Amino acid sequence: MTIENAKELQMNIAKEGLALLMLHPAFDVQPHRECISLIGAAWDIPVGDTQEVILLLDRELDAIHTVGEGGTVAHVLPEEELPMNATGLETLDNIWDLFETTLHTDSAYAKTKLFEMAKWLEESQNLLDWIEQAPKEKQMWMEQAN
């Protein structure tokens, strides 16, 4: 995995947190913040770049707390950019990248937190349902690749 892939993983984790906040404004996204930081440390991503990604979560929380007229929230990213219904392949890619990231840290704490995020992704994106649907998704993916 390259630093660019690791930055993409950070953004994917941030988008997971943003999606949760959009659906459940009181959700605690501290594990997402921490995971993003751990990914940055493991892959030597500049702290400023990591902070920019974490700032998306903070900005979303600010937007939620300053609800506009009519109860509308000015979300940081549009819903269509968020993984509300991530595919199994997208989920597996994120899980794989989290496990690969654990190989780049010596900290048992970091390894545990990265594993917890991988486990949470597996559960929240309902990976077991996807396994049953995998043949359909594979066919769609192959059609898109051609």
Side-chain angles (χ1 to χ4, degrees), residues 73-93:
V73 176
H75 294 289
V76 174
L77 294 176
E79 186 175 335
E80 54 271 3
E81 289 186 33
L82 302 178
M84 302 300 198
N85 293 300
T87 67
L89 290 174
E90 291 167 335
T91 302
L92 285 174
D93 283 344

Side-chain angles (χ1 to χ4, degrees), residues 2-12 39 43 45-46 49 53:
T2 66
I3 288 178
E4 290 307 312
N5 295 118
K7 286 181 177 183
E8 185 177 329
L9 176 61
Q10 285 181 315
M11 184 57 78
N12 290 345
I39 293 164
W43 292 100
I45 296 171
D49 292 352
V53 177

Side-chain angles (χ1 to χ4, degrees), residues 50-71:
T50 294
Q51 289 303 318
E52 281 182 38
V53 177
I54 292 171
L55 186 60
L56 291 173
L57 295 169
D58 296 337
R59 287 181 31 220
E60 182 69 17
L61 284 168
D62 289 344
I64 289 167
H65 291 104
T66 56
V67 175
E69 286 186 37

Side-chain angles (χ1 to χ4, degrees), residues 13-66:
I13 299 301
K15 286 180 178 180
E16 290 284 347
L18 292 171
L20 282 169
L21 289 173
M22 189 177 282
L23 297 171
H24 309 285
F27 196 86
D28 179 17
V29 292
Q30 182 57 31
H32 295 75
R33 279 192 191 90
E34 190 169 10
C35 188
I36 292 165
S37 291
L38 293 170
I39 293 164
W43 292 100
D44 294 324
I45 296 171
V47 174
D49 292 352
T50 294
Q51 289 303 318
E52 281 182 38
V53 177
I54 292 171
L55 186 60
L56 291 173
L57 295 169
D58 296 337
R59 287 181 31 220
E60 182 69 17
L61 284 168
D62 289 344
I64 289 167
H65 291 104
T66 56

Side-chain angles (χ1 to χ4, degrees), residues 1 5-6 8-9 12 39 43 91-102 114:
M1 187 156 77
N5 295 118
E8 185 177 329
L9 176 61
N12 290 345
I39 293 164
W43 292 100
T91 302
L92 285 174
D93 283 344
N94 288 333
I95 291 170
W96 181 263
D97 289 347
L98 286 167
F99 283 130
E100 187 173 346
T101 300
T102 65
L114 293 164

Side-chain angles (χ1 to χ4, degrees), residues 77-133:
L77 294 176
E79 186 175 335
E80 54 271 3
E81 289 186 33
L82 302 178
M84 302 300 198
N85 293 300
T87 67
L89 290 174
E90 291 167 335
T91 302
L92 285 174
D93 283 344
N94 288 333
I95 291 170
W96 181 263
D97 289 347
L98 286 167
F99 283 130
E100 187 173 346
T101 300
T102 65
L103 299 174
H104 289 269
T105 182
D106 292 329
S107 164
Y109 177 82
K111 289 178 187 297
T112 300
K113 291 300 177 181
L114 293 164
F115 172 78
E116 288 171 357
M117 181 58 68
K119 185 69 177 154
W120 182 85
L121 288 174
E122 179 264 329
E123 292 171 359
S124 68
Q125 293 295 349
N126 211 352
L127 197 53
L128 289 177
D129 280 355
W130 171 76
I131 291 169
E132 294 171 6
Q133 307 256 341

